[in-house]
């Protein structure tokens, strides 16, 4: 014959349905971490740091402006640099769209600042694109999987252009 477990003792004057058993308490405590993690997915909650994609989009706009300035300084560079200008402009648009998807209230970014180099050359553009590619690689390593593909493609494109321009 199987022994029945002893009935839980309920203090006198309390409803047995309101008494927390150890099992209920443990089950409740196990649900706290996923609930808190879910709260960090809500836009506007969690970290006060800006979205790292904002800096990448700004760098893409700056790289496009630098390459365009290099073409203006030396029109013979147009064949080499115009695809880069187009690609970095597309990168800025895609990164801005991803930032806006998670933070729809963010204002639209302004135009890039003018290049600091008076007449940039191919070496200046290569150095800027190489730095942007490294920054994108660094950011991609800390992103959630849903955002990694976009940033990794930006990093790969920048690295490729840096090699092609060398």
């Amino acid at each position: 014959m199987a022994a029945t477990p002893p009935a839980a003792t309920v203090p006198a004057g309390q409803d047995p349905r309101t008494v927390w058993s150890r099992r209920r308490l443990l089950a409740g405590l196990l649900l706290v971490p996923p609930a808190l993690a879910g709260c960090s997915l809500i836009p506007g909650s969690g970290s006060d740091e800006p979205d790292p994609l904002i800096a990448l989009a700004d760098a893409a706009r700056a790289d496009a402006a630098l390459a365009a300035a290099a073409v203006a300084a030396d029109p013979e560079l147009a064949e080499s640099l115009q695809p880069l200008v187009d690609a970095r402009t597309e990168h800025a648009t895609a990164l801005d769209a991803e930032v806006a998807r998670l933070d729809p209230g963010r204002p639209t970014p302004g135009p890039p600042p003018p290049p600091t180099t008076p007449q940039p050359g191919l070496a200046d553009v290569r150095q800027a694109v190489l730095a942007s590619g490294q920054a994108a690689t660094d950011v991609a390593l800390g992103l959630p999987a849903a955002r990694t593909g976009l940033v990794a493609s930006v990093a790969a494109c920048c690295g490729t252009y840096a090699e092609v321009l060398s």
Side-chain angles (χ1 to χ4, degrees):
M1 207 182 225
T4 58
T9 58
V10 178
Q14 285 193 344
D15 185 359
R17 292 174 291 179
T18 62
V19 175
W20 282 79
S21 68
R22 280 185 276 171
R23 286 187 185 136
R24 279 186 175 174
L25 182 62
L26 285 174
L29 289 174
L30 289 175
L31 294 176
V32 170
L36 291 176
C39 291
S40 69
L41 298 176
I42 299 169
S45 68
S47 175
D48 290 337
E49 295 179 22
D51 190 326
L53 271 58
I54 295 169
L56 295 179
D58 290 344
R61 278 187 286 283
D63 289 350
L66 182 68
V71 169
D74 183 1
E76 291 181 12
L77 295 176
E79 187 176 335
S80 299
L81 294 182
Q82 191 56 48
L84 174 64
V85 171
D86 297 339
R88 294 302 281 150
T89 301
E90 289 175 16
H91 292 165
T93 301
L95 292 164
D96 286 336
E98 176 61 15
V99 170
R101 183 182 70 83
L102 294 180
D103 185 7
R106 183 174 180 270
T108 306
T116 56
T117 308
Q119 290 193 339
L122 199 57
D124 299 314
V125 174
R126 181 185 183 283
Q127 184 178 6
V129 172
L130 191 60
S132 293
Q134 185 59 52
T137 299
D138 294 343
V139 168
L141 296 174
L143 287 176
R147 300 179 93 192
T148 301
L150 171 62
V151 176
S153 67
V154 168
C157 183
C158 289
T160 301
Y161 270 110
E163 283 299 314
V164 167
L165 295 176
S166 60

